[in-house]
């Protein structure tokens, strides 16, 4: 299977698309946001530092992210194909990723850029709720995936919570960071010739469009 790098504004559907590909094709999902959230729960100075950066919606320093990612890419479970979600997020990270890929003898694969309207992104973030037990994603603003019972997971009955960075202010910071730092990656990968765009307005369009790329 082709490795996939996802480039997308916050809430453009990276998590949802990854979930679909994990279920249908057995991809391994590597999210630097998840790696950082796990690390932020550790009771150490580093954990506290990461937790503060996440709360403010700032990018975490490269040194920390590179270390976590490289450790993850050394595990054997990813040999059949992985989706990289949330990395690289800057040109500097893209250069570093080229180095890591060479060092670990991995295939760069394809880079997929997800496209959705600004207002849809805002509602997805501000209304997003997650299940504390099974990780399922809900939304109270978009009308898609509204939980049947307020604050309760439809699938497992677990309680729903909001990520500390899923608020209006943090969304604006994250979106501006995306425009300034991450969007330039589109040119970088376009020049390499492995960049593709897909429409991420709904699960169905995303899956249909990515399957065309995977089977090419
Ligand atoms: P995400 O789950 O991808 O939305 O990421 C949540 C937060 O984790 C971001 O707002 C950043 O603070 C941090 N983060 C995730 N990936 C990276 C990365 N590649 N570089 C720096 N910070 C990151």
């Amino acid at each position: 299977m082709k490795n996939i790098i996802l480039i997308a504004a916050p809430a453009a559907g990276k998590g949802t698309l990854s979930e679909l590909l994990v279920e249908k094709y057995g991809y391994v999902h590597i999210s630097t946001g998840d790696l950082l959230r796990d690390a932020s729960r550790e009771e150490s100075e580093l954990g506290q530092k990461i937790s503060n950066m996440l709360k403010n919606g700032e990018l975490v320093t490269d040194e920390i992210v590179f270390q976590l990612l490289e450790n993850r890419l050394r595990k054997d479970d990813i040999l059949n194909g992985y989706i990289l979600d949330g990395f690289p997020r800057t040109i500097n990270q893209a250069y570093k990723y080229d180095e890591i890929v060479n060092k670990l003898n991995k295939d760069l694969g394809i880079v997929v850029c997800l496209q959705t309207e600004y207002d849809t992104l805002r509602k997805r973030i501000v209304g997003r709720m997650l299940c504390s037990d099974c990780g399922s994603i809900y939304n109270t603003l978009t009308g898609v995936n509204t939980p049947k019972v307020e604050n309760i997971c439809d699938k497992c009955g677990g309680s729903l919570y909001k990520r500390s960075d899923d608020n209006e202010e943090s969304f604006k910071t994250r979106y501006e960071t995306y425009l300034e730092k991450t969007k330039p990656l589109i040119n970088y990968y376009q020049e390499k010739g492995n960049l593709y765009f897909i429409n991420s307005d709904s699960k169905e369009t995303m899956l249909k469009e990515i399957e065309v790329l995977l089977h090419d």
Side-chain angles (χ1 to χ4, degrees):
M1 291 191 298
K2 293 175 191 168
N3 292 331
I4 301 172
I5 296 177
L6 296 179
I7 296 186
K14 290 177 291 164
T16 307
L17 178 61
S18 302
E19 206 177 287
L20 291 170
L21 294 175
V22 168
E23 271 173 26
K24 191 156 178 191
Y25 295 96
Y27 269 99
V28 171
H29 177 215
I30 303 178
S31 146
T32 44
D34 285 347
L35 293 176
L36 288 164
R37 278 184 286 279
D38 288 347
S40 76
R41 282 191 278 272
E42 280 168 25
E43 284 181 19
S44 62
E45 209 179 306
L46 180 63
Q48 191 54 51
K49 196 171 150 192
I50 297 174
S51 166
N52 290 338
M53 288 188 271
L54 291 180
K55 243 179 243 156
N56 298 332
E58 299 164 26
L59 288 186
V60 174
T61 53
D62 281 351
E63 200 195 359
I64 296 173
V65 180
F66 294 158
Q67 192 62 53
L68 287 172
L69 180 67
E70 194 171 324
N71 289 346
R72 183 64 188 88
L73 290 176
R74 286 183 183 281
K75 297 197 175 147
D76 285 345
D77 62 333
I78 61 162
L79 295 178
N80 286 333
Y82 60 88
I83 306 163
L84 202 48
D85 160 359
F87 187 95
R89 248 178 160 98
T90 62
I91 281 286
N92 195 41
Q93 292 188 356
Y95 297 151
K96 179 71 181 185
Y97 188 60
D98 288 344
E99 277 176 40
I100 297 179
V101 162
N102 281 335
K103 182 160 89 178
L104 302 183
N105 213 8
K106 303 277 175 220
D107 186 20
L108 184 62
I110 59 171
V111 181
V112 176
C113 180
L114 307 187
Q115 297 192 296
T116 313
E117 298 288 324
Y118 177 88
D119 202 49
T120 309
L121 299 174
R122 192 188 64 77
K123 284 185 182 156
R124 282 184 185 166
I125 291 252
V126 179
R128 177 157 64 185
M129 307 279 293
L130 295 128
C131 174
S132 49
D133 291 338
C134 70
S136 294
I137 304 169
Y138 295 89
N139 198 293
T140 53
L141 292 180
T142 56
V144 178
N145 280 342
T146 314
K148 291 195 184 93
V149 181
E150 203 181 342
N151 293 329
I152 300 289
C153 176
D154 294 355
K155 292 185 192 154
C156 75
S159 53
L160 303 184
Y161 72 98
K162 274 191 98 57
R163 259 166 53 174
S164 64
D165 55 349
D166 278 350
N167 56 62
E168 192 93 40
E169 206 176 314
S170 165
F171 168 68
K172 283 197 184 128
T173 311
R174 284 154 72 195
Y175 190 74
E176 278 157 23
T177 306
Y178 167 75
L179 292 183
E180 187 196 333
K181 305 220 163 121
T182 309
K183 222 173 158 206
L185 294 179
I186 292 177
N187 274 345
Y188 181 72
Y189 288 114
Q190 218 152 21
E191 279 169 21
K192 276 187 184 276
N194 63 341
L195 181 87
Y196 302 88
F197 292 95
I198 67 174
N199 177 314
S200 64
D201 283 344
S202 75
K203 270 187 178 183
E204 292 71 26
T205 53
M206 270 198 292
L207 189 59
K208 205 164 91 194
E209 294 189 17
I210 201 152
E211 285 188 324
V212 172
L213 297 178
L214 295 179
H215 295 130
D216 244 7

